[in-house]
Amino acid sequence: MAQKLYDFLLLLALPWVWSRLFWKARRESTYRQRIGERFGRTPPALSRGVVWFHAVSAGETNAIAPVVRSLQQRLPGETFLVTTMTPAGSARVQALLGDIAEHCYAPYDYPWAVARFLRRAQPKALILVETELWPNLVRQTAASGAAVHLVNARLSERSYRRYRRLRVLVRPMLARIDRVVCQYEDSAARFRALGAPAVEVAGSVKFDAELPPDLFGLYDIGFGDAPTWIAGSTHPGEEEIVLDAHRALLERHPRLHLILAPRHPARTPEVVRLCAERGLATGLLSERARGAPVLIADIMGTLASLYGLADVAFVGGSLDRTGGHNPIEAAAQGVPMTMGPARFKVEEICARFEAAGCFHPVTGADDLAAVVGELLDDANQRWREGEVAKAVVEANRGARQALADKLFEWLRRGRASAS
């Protein structure tokens, strides 16, 4: 009954789905491309019998890409498919795995769209990354005979409460998942409470991320020895807060530079306008601007390297309702971090940095300016916190290899039983 109600509500929501897709396409032109894939119309060249990884966007793709590459080397006879839901995720698949994996968008969770996709792809296994739980996707894939695994899984207290209210729908879905591999024990306990039958803990593969090579020539952006801070992966509403904090900081640090990296580079014209409204001159990374008072990082895939050029980092998606983006990239570069209160997507990761004393919560422009200003004033404190941040990253490494080993064994076992 719950499944039928869910499908009926999905049907009622179809006009809203189309409207939202159209609205996103107006803001970011890449959403106009390959719309058919979102309703199960796969590319003609898509292979059958794939090992299917589903990662919603860029962060999840960055995290799982090394695992996919490791498995491809150990299982050379398999064909790997990596799906995403966003253009940013699609771009990362092409950049990180384009030579070894096929790619398309995953279908929306309409029964007919999922069925159309499955008829074409005929997956041997589905590996969902982090929290990509969709009832029809899981139910129909499991019914097709494919194994379903959820890996690098996380479940915040907020999401747990929501899922618990929907347990008549969530419990049957989790029962169809063969294994859940969580980042940490608190998420594992929540999955068990919701009825997941096989749950284990392996840590977060995001801690195993390697710093990318400087392919864009970021080693010299013309800042010299001037103090610099960075706001990474910002969303609408956050840039205004960051820029207001920056204007306040300029009163104490007139040589201060800001690197501003919007989560979606297509929003660059909007961010340039916000800077101009505040009398702040800008330069674009794509135009190789040097010495710009505010450098706007409008090139996807450069943020991890840009963190290394800053003295202090603000990590976005945390002063709106997004839930926070990955702070590990900044920590790995030895940069003290600050984030807003909305960190439910990365709460377990942030807790480790906060406990170590290299993480500063903020709520708005005033305390953001105060925290950044305090760190800019004290080079010794910055150095200490940076070293602690790197130590936390090192202490939490190892999940990637553990997860790759588990998946290799499960996929090899599945291949043996099918032969």
Side-chain angles (χ1 to χ4, degrees):
M1 184 63 184
Q3 183 68 50
K4 290 181 179 179
L5 178 60
Y6 172 74
D7 291 342
F8 177 68
L9 293 175
L10 278 181
L11 185 62
L12 291 180
L14 188 56
W16 177 84
V17 170
W18 275 107
S19 299
R20 180 170 172 77
L21 191 56
F22 177 74
W23 177 78
K24 285 188 173 183
R26 290 189 63 185
R27 294 173 62 90
E28 189 172 345
S29 61
T30 46
Y31 272 96
R32 299 191 191 107
Q33 302 166 7
R34 300 154 48 199
I35 289 177
E37 293 178 15
R38 300 184 182 278
F39 295 94
R41 296 190 181 277
T42 60
L46 187 74
S47 298
R48 287 178 168 82
V50 297
V51 175
W52 174 19
F53 281 80
H54 177 52
V56 62
S57 193
E60 294 80 5
T61 302
N62 289 340
I64 206 65
V67 175
V68 177
R69 189 167 288 278
S70 172
L71 289 171
Q72 190 272 338
Q73 293 170 352
R74 297 165 76 176
L75 296 168
E78 298 290 358
T79 300
F80 290 84
L81 168 69
V82 182
T83 61
T84 65
M85 296 299 290
T86 69
S90 177
R92 295 310 291 158
V93 175
Q94 300 293 353
L96 299 174
L97 297 169
D99 60 327
I100 64 163
E102 299 183 16
H103 167 68
C104 65
Y105 288 127
Y108 291 148
D109 205 39
Y110 289 96
W112 43 271
V114 174
R116 179 186 290 161
F117 178 90
L118 291 174
R119 283 196 301 270
R120 185 69 178 81
Q122 298 178 10
K124 297 177 180 178
L126 167 59
I127 297 97
L128 301 164
V129 183
E130 295 203 6
T131 54
E132 277 301 280
L133 292 170
W134 296 98
N136 285 317
L137 191 71
V138 171
R139 178 175 60 85
Q140 293 190 34
T141 303
S144 74
V148 181
H149 308 295
L150 176 63
V151 303
N152 206 41
R154 55 177 174 79
L155 188 64
S156 68
E157 181 63 30
R158 170 178 168 177
S159 296
Y160 169 70
R161 290 194 299 267
R162 185 172 68 248
Y163 281 3
R164 190 172 56 184
R165 289 194 294 269
L166 299 171
R167 56 184 173 271
V168 294
L169 184 65
V170 170
R171 186 176 288 271
M173 175 181 63
L174 291 177
R176 294 183 172 95
I177 297 178
D178 295 85
R179 295 172 183 84
V180 178
V181 184
C182 291
Q183 297 180 16
Y184 298 109
E185 182 56 42
D186 35 8
S187 283
R190 292 168 190 146
F191 275 109
R192 293 187 190 106
L194 289 170
V199 183
E200 54 189 292
V201 176
S204 173
V205 300
K206 289 185 176 180
F207 278 104
D208 290 290
E210 298 169 357
L211 294 176
D214 181 13
L215 299 178
F216 197 71
L218 300 175
Y219 57 88
D220 185 7
I221 52 178
F223 289 180
D225 61 353
T228 303
W229 71 298
I230 183 170
S233 295
T234 57
H235 289 254
E238 292 188 309
E239 287 94 3
E240 291 92 331
I241 295 171
V242 167
L243 292 171
D244 289 344
H246 184 64
R247 289 182 65 186
L249 286 164
L250 286 171
E251 296 178 7
R252 295 164 55 189
H253 301 274
R255 298 176 61 235
L256 181 65
H257 290 270
L258 169 64
I259 302 172
L260 184 50
R263 179 67 173 179
H264 302 290
R267 294 185 50 248
T268 295
E270 176 186 349
V271 177
V272 170
R273 175 182 58 79
L274 292 172
C275 293
E277 290 174 353
R278 290 161 175 78
L280 297 169
T282 59
L284 301 184
L285 185 66
S286 61
E287 296 178 355
R288 296 191 176 273
R290 298 185 75 256
V294 178
L295 178 65
I296 299 176
D298 57 342
I299 300 293
M300 183 68 71
T302 58
L303 180 57
S305 295
L306 288 168
Y307 276 128
L309 303 180
D311 299 301
V312 185
F314 166 74
V315 182
S318 58
L319 286 170
D320 67 350
R321 297 181 180 180
T322 301
H325 289 297
N326 178 17
I328 297 172
E329 292 177 329
Q333 294 278 20
V335 181
M337 297 159 290
T338 178
M339 290 182 74
R343 303 187 294 272
F344 57 86
K345 289 186 177 179
V346 287
E347 61 183 357
E348 294 163 325
I349 292 173
C350 292
R352 281 150 178 79
F353 292 118
E354 193 165 11
C358 56
F359 182 93
H360 302 267
V362 298
T363 58
D366 290 342
D367 53 341
L368 178 58
V371 167
V372 174
E374 177 184 333
L375 289 166
L376 290 174
D377 287 337
D378 192 336
N380 288 331
Q381 182 181 356
R382 288 201 313 273
W383 181 84
R384 286 194 303 271
E385 291 192 16
E387 291 299 301
V388 168
K390 289 192 290 187
V392 171
V393 174
E394 287 300 319
N396 284 272
R397 289 188 183 276
R400 183 197 322 182
Q401 188 60 51
L403 178 57
D405 289 344
K406 290 177 188 295
L407 287 172
F408 170 71
E409 185 59 36
W410 297 339
L411 292 172
R412 187 180 64 171
R413 198 179 303 161
R415 185 164 62 176
S417 62
S419 60

Coordinates of all heavy atoms in Angstrom, one line a residue, residues 97-131:
L97 N 37.0 9.1 -14.8 CA 36.8 7.7 -15.2 C 36.5 7.5 -16.7 O 36.1 6.4 -17.1 CB 35.7 7.1 -14.3 CG 35.9 7.1 -12.8 CD1 34.7 6.7 -12.1 CD2 37.0 6.0 -12.5
G98 N 36.5 8.6 -17.4 CA 36.1 8.5 -18.8 C 36.8 7.5 -19.7 O 36.3 7.0 -20.7
D99 N 38.0 7.1 -19.3 CA 38.8 6.1 -20.0 C 38.5 4.7 -19.7 O 38.8 3.8 -20.4 CB 40.3 6.4 -19.9 CG 40.7 6.2 -18.4 OD1 39.9 6.6 -17.5 OD2 41.9 5.8 -18.1
I100 N 37.7 4.5 -18.6 CA 37.5 3.1 -18.1 C 36.0 2.8 -17.9 O 35.7 1.6 -17.7 CB 38.3 2.7 -16.9 CG1 37.9 3.6 -15.7 CG2 39.8 2.9 -17.1 CD1 38.3 3.0 -14.4
A101 N 35.2 3.8 -17.8 CA 33.8 3.5 -17.4 C 32.8 4.2 -18.3 O 33.1 5.3 -18.9 CB 33.5 4.0 -15.9
E102 N 31.7 3.6 -18.5 CA 30.6 4.3 -19.2 C 29.8 5.2 -18.3 O 29.9 5.1 -17.1 CB 29.7 3.2 -19.9 CG 30.4 2.3 -20.8 CD 29.5 1.3 -21.5 OE1 28.2 1.5 -21.5 OE2 30.0 0.4 -22.1
H103 N 29.1 6.1 -18.9 CA 28.4 7.1 -18.0 C 27.0 7.5 -18.7 O 27.0 7.7 -19.9 CB 29.2 8.3 -17.8 CG 28.4 9.5 -17.2 ND1 27.9 9.4 -15.9 CD2 28.1 10.7 -17.7 CE1 27.3 10.6 -15.7 NE2 27.3 11.3 -16.8
C104 N 26.1 7.8 -17.8 CA 24.8 8.5 -18.2 C 24.2 8.9 -16.9 O 24.6 8.6 -15.8 CB 23.9 7.6 -19.0 SG 23.2 6.2 -18.2
Y105 N 23.1 9.7 -17.1 CA 22.4 10.1 -15.9 C 21.5 8.9 -15.4 O 21.0 8.1 -16.2 CB 21.4 11.3 -16.2 CG 22.2 12.6 -16.3 CD1 22.0 13.4 -17.5 CD2 23.1 13.1 -15.4 CE1 22.6 14.6 -17.6 CE2 23.7 14.3 -15.5 CZ 23.5 15.0 -16.6 OH 24.2 16.2 -16.8
A106 N 21.3 8.8 -14.1 CA 20.4 7.8 -13.6 C 18.9 8.3 -13.8 O 18.7 9.5 -13.9 CB 20.6 7.6 -12.1
P107 N 18.0 7.3 -13.9 CA 16.6 7.7 -14.1 C 16.0 8.2 -12.8 O 16.4 7.8 -11.7 CB 16.0 6.4 -14.6 CG 16.8 5.3 -13.9 CD 18.2 5.9 -13.9
Y108 N 15.1 9.2 -13.0 CA 14.3 9.5 -11.9 C 13.5 8.3 -11.4 O 13.3 7.3 -12.1 CB 13.3 10.6 -12.2 CG 13.9 12.0 -12.5 CD1 13.4 12.9 -13.4 CD2 15.1 12.4 -11.8 CE1 13.9 14.1 -13.7 CE2 15.6 13.6 -12.1 CZ 15.1 14.5 -13.0 OH 15.6 15.7 -13.3
D109 N 13.0 8.3 -10.2 CA 12.5 7.1 -9.5 C 11.0 6.8 -9.9 O 10.3 6.1 -9.2 CB 12.5 7.3 -8.0 CG 12.6 6.0 -7.3 OD1 13.3 5.1 -7.8 OD2 12.0 5.8 -6.2
Y110 N 10.7 7.1 -11.1 CA 9.4 6.6 -11.7 C 9.5 5.2 -12.1 O 10.5 4.8 -12.7 CB 9.0 7.5 -12.9 CG 8.6 8.9 -12.5 CD1 9.5 9.9 -12.5 CD2 7.3 9.1 -12.0 CE1 9.1 11.2 -12.1 CE2 6.9 10.4 -11.6 CZ 7.8 11.4 -11.6 OH 7.5 12.7 -11.2
P111 N 8.5 4.3 -11.7 CA 8.6 2.9 -12.0 C 8.9 2.6 -13.5 O 9.8 1.8 -13.8 CB 7.3 2.3 -11.6 CG 6.7 3.3 -10.7 CD 7.3 4.7 -11.1
W112 N 8.2 3.3 -14.4 CA 8.4 3.1 -15.8 C 9.8 3.5 -16.3 O 10.4 2.9 -17.2 CB 7.3 3.8 -16.6 CG 7.0 5.1 -16.2 CD1 6.1 5.5 -15.2 CD2 7.6 6.4 -16.6 NE1 6.1 6.9 -15.1 CE2 7.0 7.4 -15.9 CE3 8.6 6.7 -17.6 CZ2 7.4 8.8 -16.1 CZ3 9.0 8.0 -17.8 CH2 8.4 9.0 -17.1
A113 N 10.3 4.6 -15.7 CA 11.7 5.1 -16.1 C 12.8 4.2 -15.6 O 13.7 3.8 -16.4 CB 11.9 6.5 -15.5
V114 N 12.6 3.7 -14.4 CA 13.6 2.7 -13.9 C 13.6 1.4 -14.7 O 14.6 0.8 -15.0 CB 13.3 2.4 -12.4 CG1 14.3 1.3 -11.9 CG2 13.5 3.7 -11.6
A115 N 12.3 0.9 -15.0 CA 12.2 -0.3 -15.7 C 12.8 -0.2 -17.1 O 13.5 -1.1 -17.6 CB 10.7 -0.7 -15.9
R116 N 12.6 1.0 -17.8 CA 13.2 1.2 -19.1 C 14.7 1.2 -19.0 O 15.4 0.6 -19.8 CB 12.7 2.5 -19.6 CG 13.3 2.9 -21.0 CD 12.9 4.3 -21.3 NE 11.5 4.4 -21.6 CZ 10.8 5.6 -21.6 NH1 11.3 6.7 -21.3 NH2 9.5 5.6 -21.9
F117 N 15.3 1.8 -18.0 CA 16.7 1.8 -17.8 C 17.3 0.4 -17.5 O 18.3 0.0 -18.1 CB 17.1 2.7 -16.6 CG 18.5 2.8 -16.3 CD1 19.4 3.7 -16.9 CD2 19.1 1.9 -15.4 CE1 20.7 3.8 -16.6 CE2 20.4 1.9 -15.1 CZ 21.3 2.8 -15.7
L118 N 16.6 -0.3 -16.7 CA 17.1 -1.7 -16.3 C 17.0 -2.6 -17.5 O 17.9 -3.5 -17.7 CB 16.3 -2.3 -15.2 CG 16.5 -1.6 -13.8 CD1 15.5 -2.1 -12.8 CD2 17.9 -1.7 -13.4
R119 N 16.0 -2.5 -18.4 CA 15.9 -3.4 -19.6 C 17.1 -3.1 -20.5 O 17.6 -4.1 -21.1 CB 14.6 -3.1 -20.3 CG 13.4 -3.6 -19.7 CD 12.2 -3.7 -20.7 NE 11.9 -2.3 -21.2 CZ 11.0 -1.5 -20.6 NH1 10.4 -1.9 -19.5 NH2 10.7 -0.3 -21.1
R120 N 17.6 -1.9 -20.5 CA 18.8 -1.6 -21.4 C 20.1 -2.0 -20.7 O 20.9 -2.6 -21.3 CB 18.7 -0.1 -21.7 CG 19.8 0.3 -22.7 CD 19.5 -0.2 -24.1 NE 20.5 0.2 -25.0 CZ 21.7 -0.3 -25.2 NH1 22.0 -1.4 -24.5 NH2 22.5 0.2 -26.1
A121 N 20.3 -1.6 -19.5 CA 21.6 -1.8 -18.8 C 21.8 -3.2 -18.3 O 22.9 -3.7 -18.2 CB 21.8 -0.8 -17.7
Q122 N 20.7 -3.8 -17.8 CA 20.8 -5.2 -17.3 C 22.0 -5.3 -16.3 O 22.8 -6.2 -16.5 CB 20.9 -6.2 -18.4 CG 19.7 -6.2 -19.3 CD 19.8 -7.2 -20.5 OE1 20.7 -8.0 -20.5 NE2 18.9 -7.1 -21.4
P123 N 22.0 -4.6 -15.2 CA 23.1 -4.6 -14.3 C 23.3 -5.9 -13.6 O 22.3 -6.5 -13.2 CB 22.8 -3.4 -13.3 CG 21.3 -3.3 -13.4 CD 20.9 -3.6 -14.8
K124 N 24.6 -6.3 -13.4 CA 24.9 -7.4 -12.5 C 24.8 -7.0 -11.1 O 24.5 -7.9 -10.2 CB 26.3 -7.9 -12.9 CG 26.5 -8.4 -14.3 CD 27.9 -8.9 -14.5 CE 28.2 -9.4 -15.9 NZ 29.6 -9.7 -16.1
A125 N 25.2 -5.8 -10.8 CA 25.2 -5.3 -9.4 C 25.0 -3.8 -9.4 O 25.4 -3.1 -10.4 CB 26.5 -5.7 -8.7
L126 N 24.4 -3.3 -8.4 CA 24.2 -1.8 -8.2 C 24.9 -1.5 -6.9 O 24.6 -2.0 -5.9 CB 22.8 -1.5 -8.2 CG 22.4 0.0 -7.7 CD1 23.1 1.0 -8.6 CD2 20.9 0.2 -7.6
I127 N 25.8 -0.5 -7.0 CA 26.5 0.0 -5.8 C 26.1 1.5 -5.7 O 26.5 2.3 -6.5 CB 28.1 -0.1 -5.9 CG1 28.5 -1.6 -6.0 CG2 28.7 0.5 -4.7 CD1 28.7 -2.1 -7.4
L128 N 25.3 1.7 -4.7 CA 24.8 3.1 -4.3 C 25.8 3.8 -3.4 O 26.4 3.1 -2.5 CB 23.5 3.0 -3.7 CG 22.3 2.3 -4.5 CD1 21.2 2.0 -3.6 CD2 21.9 3.2 -5.6
V129 N 26.1 5.1 -3.6 CA 27.1 5.8 -2.9 C 26.5 6.8 -1.9 O 25.7 7.6 -2.4 CB 28.1 6.5 -3.8 CG1 29.2 7.2 -3.1 CG2 28.7 5.5 -4.8
E130 N 26.8 6.7 -0.7 CA 26.4 7.6 0.4 C 24.9 7.5 0.8 O 24.6 6.7 1.7 CB 26.9 9.0 0.1 CG 28.4 9.1 0.1 CD 28.9 10.5 0.3 OE1 28.2 11.4 0.7 OE2 30.1 10.7 0.1
T131 N 24.0 8.2 0.2 CA 22.6 8.2 0.6 C 21.7 8.2 -0.5 O 20.5 8.6 -0.4 CB 22.3 9.4 1.5 OG1 22.6 10.6 0.8 CG2 23.0 9.4 2.8

